[in-house]
Amino acid sequence: MITALYDGHCVICNTTRRLIRALDWFGRVEFLDLHQAQTRDRYPAIDHDKAMGEIHVIDPNGRVFAGFYGTRRMLRAVPLGLPLWAILRLPIVGDWLGVRVYRFIAKNRYAINRLLGVDLAKIEAEEAACDDMGVCKIP
């Protein structure tokens, strides 16, 4: 099993999570939201700020794949992701174009969220009502 650390406030990240879960027939990818304290406790060696900037995927051997390479690693783990993984392994598609497109989207993800009408202030206020154990006050 591989573990993906992602920004749970990001619409694009959550869409990726839902898509990979739909393709993950064998339960090979575990997703952990970086906004949860237990994620930071489980992976203290991962730089939280860097992980907030791009997805981090940890394989069973402890290797960390960040950004585009993490996304590509997830595709390799799911059966229906293999054709896209193979295309993304092509040097010009993956190492040149894929990395640049991923960085652009990751850098601008909150602006893209706003464009899609997501209210991040509301999400953060709802999370502030919750304690570290995941228990939330009723609004």
Side-chain angles (χ1 to χ4, degrees):
M1 177 178 283
I2 61 173
T3 303
L5 309 179
Y6 74 102
D7 176 359
H9 290 178
C10 169
V11 172
I12 297 165
C13 306
N14 278 300
T15 301
T16 301
R17 177 184 51 84
R18 284 192 296 275
L19 178 64
I20 294 294
R21 278 194 174 157
L23 300 175
D24 188 13
W25 301 340
F26 304 116
R28 293 179 177 163
V29 182
E30 171 189 32
F31 285 90
L32 297 176
D33 183 350
L34 286 161
H35 295 281
Q36 302 297 320
Q38 53 268 45
T39 301
R40 292 185 297 274
D41 294 342
R42 186 168 161 191
Y43 292 101
I46 299 289
D47 181 333
H48 180 74
D49 292 334
K50 187 174 178 187
M52 284 295 296
E54 57 186 8
I55 195 164
H56 279 54
V57 175
I58 300 103
D59 75 4
N61 297 321
R63 289 180 297 198
V64 178
F65 300 84
F68 168 77
Y69 298 104
T71 303
R72 188 171 73 184
R73 178 64 182 90
M74 283 190 299
L75 289 168
R76 185 175 125 198
V78 298
L80 293 177
L82 287 174
L84 185 53
W85 170 79
I87 292 169
L88 295 176
R89 292 282 301 163
L90 298 172
I92 290 184
V93 175
D95 293 332
W96 191 83
L97 183 63
V99 169
R100 283 167 178 72
V101 169
Y102 184 94
R103 284 185 185 150
F104 175 81
I105 291 171
K107 183 178 178 182
N108 297 292
R109 70 188 184 283
Y110 287 122
I112 294 168
N113 285 346
R114 283 190 299 278
L115 233 121
L116 297 173
V118 176
D119 185 358
L120 292 176
K122 181 180 176 185
I123 292 171
E124 289 170 353
E126 288 171 359
E127 280 196 356
C130 302
D131 63 21
D132 286 340
M133 299 300 291
V135 178
C136 303
K137 298 174 191 170
I138 297 174

